[in-house]
Amino acid sequence: MDTVIESHMAVSMAALGDIGILHSNAASSDQAAMVRSVKGRHVPLLSAPVFMSRGDRIHNDDVFNHGANPYILVTESGAPNSKLLGYMASRDWVKLADKEVKIYNYMLTGNSIYQIEMIKYIKKMYSDLDVVGGNVVTVSQAQNLIQAGVDGLRVGMGSGSICTTQEVCAVGRGQIISG
């Protein structure tokens, strides 16, 4: 596991909802550079989030506030205090050919279908290989990954894009619970 990935792969894996282990035998300055590179890819913060229900339709890009709000959060009732079902990114919405369909038909779901499909593929092709899936923060996410065939779960989301506790204090690691 020492030479699994470097920063560019860590960013790509995180974008797909997975984890990567940086090389621990690299010089500390190299490790720090890789961590800075990965941490530099901040997840956008929503200062004024827009909520819609899965039955709603997005008729124009005004709802994205001209790029200031890159995502619409989809909840059961369309209200902020309702169960989160998924999200719609403006970059994906502009590429849709039929913009009159309900959000439910094209929203992305708190689970990555790519991750679930990749787990199924890996377990089918390499049944003896142990697969760890995550990041998991809800019971339903854990259940979906277990049903897909993971052997272990990466639990917790780690520090956020503006949290520096791990960097400043040099403490904290992702938890792994194996099955």
Side-chain angles (χ1 to χ4, degrees):
M1 289 292 288
D2 278 343
T3 58
V4 176
I5 64 171
E6 290 183 354
S7 57
H8 63 281
M9 182 60 79
V11 170
S12 298
M13 291 175 73
L16 295 173
D18 212 336
I19 64 169
I21 309 300
L22 293 175
H23 192 297
S24 64
N25 289 333
S28 58
S29 59
D30 292 339
Q31 289 182 45
M34 287 188 270
V35 169
R36 275 193 299 278
S37 175
V38 173
K39 290 266 190 188
R41 309 294 174 110
H42 296 291
V43 175
L45 298 176
L46 303 178
S47 58
V50 174
F51 295 90
M52 298 179 93
S53 75
R54 61 179 152 197
D56 290 338
R57 292 176 171 86
I58 301 172
H59 298 289
N60 59 51
D61 65 354
D62 289 346
V63 73
F64 296 105
N65 198 15
H66 307 290
N69 192 28
Y71 299 99
I72 293 173
L73 302 177
V74 182
T75 63
E76 282 183 344
S77 70
N81 61 348
S82 184
K83 181 179 179 182
L84 181 66
L85 301 175
Y87 67 95
M88 183 65 205
S90 63
R91 69 174 178 269
D92 296 330
W93 183 81
V94 297
K95 297 176 188 174
L96 289 176
D98 182 8
K99 292 183 173 51
E100 291 299 315
V101 296
K102 294 179 181 180
I103 291 177
Y104 185 76
N105 294 326
Y106 54 84
M107 71 179 193
L108 300 173
T109 59
N111 294 311
S112 168
I113 190 66
Y114 302 112
Q115 181 182 31
I116 291 171
E117 292 302 317
M118 181 56 77
I119 290 166
K120 290 178 181 178
Y121 173 79
I122 290 170
K123 293 307 280 186
K124 179 180 176 184
M125 299 302 292
Y126 310 98
S127 59
D128 293 338
L129 185 66
D130 287 338
V131 176
V132 175
N135 298 342
V136 175
V137 293
T138 67
V139 172
S140 62
Q141 289 173 319
Q143 289 171 336
N144 289 339
L145 294 178
I146 291 167
Q147 289 172 356
V150 296
D151 300 292
L153 296 171
R154 194 291 190 182
V155 179
M157 295 303 281
S159 61
S161 64
I162 62 170
C163 179
T164 61
T165 303
Q166 288 183 352
E167 295 171 37
V168 173
C169 298
V171 298
R173 299 251 179 184
Q175 302 171 12
I176 296 179
I177 300 173
S178 58

